[in-house]
Amino acid sequence: MDESPDVTSPRALSLLFKKYGLKPRRQLGQNFLIDANIVRKIIKAAEISEDNYIIEIGPGAGALTAALARSDVRLAVLEIDRGLIRLLKDQFKNLPQVKIMERDVLEVEWEEMLIGLAGRNTEVKLISNLPYNISGPFMYNLFREAFPFSKAILMFQKEVAQRLLANPGDSDYGTLSVLSRYYCRGENLFDVSKNVFWPRPKVDSTVIRLTPRSKELSNPEEKLFWEIVQSLFQQRRKTILKRMSIHFNIPRNDLTELLKKAAIIPAARPEELDVNQFAKLARITYNYLNNISER
Ligand code: SAM
């Protein structure tokens, strides 16, 4: 391991790519970190302790992986690119605590995988410089599994990070923002210049930290919450009253009453509602649709 090249050095990285006959693949969002300081900041933000289990997505040539391996923690890295898998297996061959897995992360069933890797009672943390082209669908998948990590330190294109952390009224507030606020507490940690990647992407990035929140809704209520949020933001210019009445076919008078109970103005637009209002609306609508008297 000590003889392994420092892949945050652009020269070492390009030599390594040459050795393995690889070229950065834009269609896989391959922009490799070439700044050891940013690597350190990301690892520090994860507050790793030895009994944690770490999942890294898209290890690339191993910039973050090498730093994680130094903290003596068990870790699994999931990479889709077979060429990079070859490179990683060589780089980390002397470190049995690093499990290298060839996977498309969009296909992973997280709960099952995490129990298999880490067991049931281990704190599993997620670290990734995410490929920009899959970050949206990837986050939806995590939320669909109720965010099964104890902490995530994730680097996104700046505008995706802004969407995840947006507040009601912000222009980028939408489905992803509401879901992320329902499942997690999000913090903007720091911005990362496009100049610290090879090859250089067009836009800057942002590193954020997500920690899970306890769930407010039962599973069936939560299902309806997703349906409401997605349906309302599909036509964000329509009022809540209009969109809800079309989507659920609820008589107008009943709907006005439901919205009143949820403390929502019927003429409001979805971008004005915060996550608690969406959650309340889901619970009240669920009760109405299932003839359950108010809790
Ligand atoms: N972690 C490395 C770094 O910071 O230098 C590389 C980050 S690069 C932005 C994203 C990585 O994700 C690439 O290695 C790419 O091959 C990998 N990747 C892209 N799509 C993937 C997918 N669906 N599943 C797993 N890995 C993927």
Side-chain angles (χ1 to χ4, degrees):
M1 174 69 199
D2 289 331
E3 304 132 36
S4 300
D6 171 11
V7 293
T8 59
S9 142
R11 195 180 140 65
L13 186 59
S14 73
L15 283 174
L16 199 59
F17 266 61
K18 221 176 190 164
K19 178 174 163 197
Y20 285 87
L22 300 172
K23 288 204 166 88
R25 294 168 70 185
R26 201 199 314 200
Q27 70 276 29
L28 291 180
Q30 291 183 352
N31 301 99
F32 302 95
L33 250 177
I34 47 169
D35 185 314
N37 192 37
I38 300 292
V39 169
R40 264 193 298 276
K41 282 172 78 172
I42 292 174
I43 306 293
K44 186 161 180 247
E47 297 168 324
I48 295 169
S49 60
E50 276 177 23
D51 53 352
N52 292 164
Y53 196 99
I54 308 289
I55 299 286
E56 189 199 346
I57 286 167
L64 291 162
T65 321
L68 286 166
R70 277 195 289 277
S71 54
D72 262 345
V73 71
R74 288 182 304 153
L75 81 135
V77 302
L78 278 60
E79 172 59 61
I80 199 171
D81 185 325
R82 193 158 285 174
L84 288 173
I85 289 279
R86 233 177 346 114
L87 181 157
L88 289 161
K89 285 200 163 151
D90 282 351
Q91 294 290 101
F92 295 99
K93 62 174 184 280
N94 296 326
L95 294 172
Q97 77 272 28
V98 183
K99 196 173 172 66
I100 295 162
M101 303 170 80
E102 187 180 336
R103 285 282 190 296
D104 176 350
V105 288
L106 294 181
E107 309 275 306
V108 170
E109 304 273 353
W110 286 103
E111 200 183 337
E112 197 184 308
M113 171 175 276
L114 297 185
I115 291 173
L117 287 170
R120 274 189 192 276
N121 295 317
T122 307
E123 258 197 61
V124 184
K125 292 178 177 170
L126 171 66
I127 296 190
S128 182
N129 167 14
L130 278 166
Y132 72 94
N133 48 332
I134 63 158
S135 47
F138 170 70
M139 291 311 292
Y140 276 104
N141 285 356
L142 285 195
F143 296 142
R144 231 168 253 126
E145 291 205 43
F147 199 77
F149 294 94
S150 68
K151 188 174 290 193
I153 309 296
L154 300 172
M155 173 139 60
F156 293 97
Q157 268 193 325
K158 204 167 177 177
E159 53 103 11
V160 179
Q162 282 166 347
R163 262 166 58 207
L164 279 161
L165 302 182
N167 286 305
D170 293 347
S171 58
D172 39 14
Y173 186 67
T175 307
L176 201 56
S177 330
V178 177
L179 294 175
S180 101
R181 286 183 176 280
Y182 177 78
Y183 290 102
C184 299
R185 205 162 50 80
E187 298 158 83
N188 185 331
L189 296 184
F190 52 90
D191 290 339
V192 180
S193 156
K194 52 179 169 294
N195 297 326
V196 303
F197 298 95
W198 174 74
R200 187 156 58 137
K202 289 202 177 69
V203 291
D204 292 328
S205 297
T206 298
V207 176
I208 72 172
R209 174 162 44 212
L210 296 173
T211 31
R213 286 180 61 201
S214 52
K215 273 163 50 116
E216 270 174 59
L217 301 172
S218 64
N219 287 346
E221 289 168 347
E222 202 170 292
K223 208 160 161 249
L224 195 66
F225 166 81
W226 276 72
E227 190 178 337
I228 290 176
V229 174
Q230 288 181 312
S231 156
L232 291 184
F233 278 109
Q234 236 165 46
Q235 294 199 324
R236 48 196 297 149
R237 261 170 266 286
K238 286 218 163 72
T239 65
I240 308 283
L241 182 72
K242 177 119 193 165
R243 189 71 194 143
M244 286 285 290
S245 73
I246 294 171
H247 188 89
F248 291 104
N249 200 13
I250 300 176
R252 212 181 161 89
N253 283 349
D254 289 4
L255 196 52
T256 313
E257 200 49 39
L258 290 186
L259 293 176
K260 200 165 156 197
K261 276 192 203 148
I264 293 170
I265 301 166
R269 320 267 157 178
E271 66 260 29
E272 295 168 61
L273 302 195
D274 67 22
V275 63
N276 297 326
Q277 287 173 299
F278 276 111
K280 202 160 180 191
L281 181 59
R283 170 172 292 154
I284 289 169
T285 309
Y286 179 82
N287 288 345
Y288 171 85
L289 295 174
N290 293 283
N291 293 316
I292 298 171
S293 53
E294 236 20 83
R295 280 187 264 158

